[in-house]
Amino acid sequence: MEWKEAYWLGVPRSEIKKWNILEGDMTGRFAYYRCGFHAPKGARLIAAIAAGSRYRMWGNGRPAGSGPCKGDRYRQFYDRLDLTGYLTEGENILAVQVLYCDPDAAVKQTDERPHS
């Protein structure tokens, strides 16, 4: 089983506006994503996953992996997770929880320190 297209996910701007989340107030919030698909008997699945911060992944409701804070705004890394053992013949669901951390938070904190 091979997916030939992938894309970066993010919280839709419409949701940020709907819930009146102020600019710069995303740190510490979670975003959730789900993907449903049909798998034939004996299917194999190796997922490459990256996140701008921490993530947790589930395969059909079972914890399948989590990722540490990796990289920075200039370098992105990814993990390869073998999800084959989480698949069942027929319909499957992959779910991911991503914790948002502002990549500029450390810079902003040091910029706010008093200067002598």
Side-chain angles (χ1 to χ4, degrees):
M1 176 176 213
E2 184 176 337
W3 289 320
K4 299 190 188 265
E5 293 181 23
Y7 52 93
W8 285 103
L9 300 174
V11 177
R13 180 66 48 199
S14 60
E15 286 293 311
I16 293 170
K17 192 173 184 176
K18 173 182 173 183
W19 297 106
N20 197 29
I21 298 171
L22 301 175
E23 189 69 34
D25 192 26
M26 289 292 291
T27 294
R29 295 179 186 267
F30 290 103
Y32 298 88
Y33 304 95
R34 289 171 46 112
C35 175
F37 60 97
H38 182 86
K41 184 176 182 177
R44 294 185 32 82
L45 178 60
I46 307 291
I49 182 170
S53 57
R54 298 187 62 83
Y55 72 86
R56 292 183 191 166
M57 178 177 265
W58 291 267
N60 290 320
R62 297 183 1 224
S66 61
C69 293
K70 290 187 172 183
D72 56 34
R73 69 182 328 176
Y74 303 107
R75 291 176 290 272
Q76 289 292 322
F77 301 98
Y78 66 93
D79 294 324
R80 291 177 58 83
L81 300 177
D82 185 349
L83 301 174
T84 303
Y86 298 88
L87 298 181
T88 59
E89 181 179 2
E91 292 303 309
N92 290 268
I93 300 280
L94 296 180
V96 179
Q97 174 195 54
V98 179
L99 171 65
Y100 180 81
C101 295
D102 184 348
D104 291 327
V107 172
K108 290 175 186 171
Q109 290 173 357
T110 56
D111 287 348
E112 292 173 1
R113 292 183 185 156
H115 298 278
S116 51

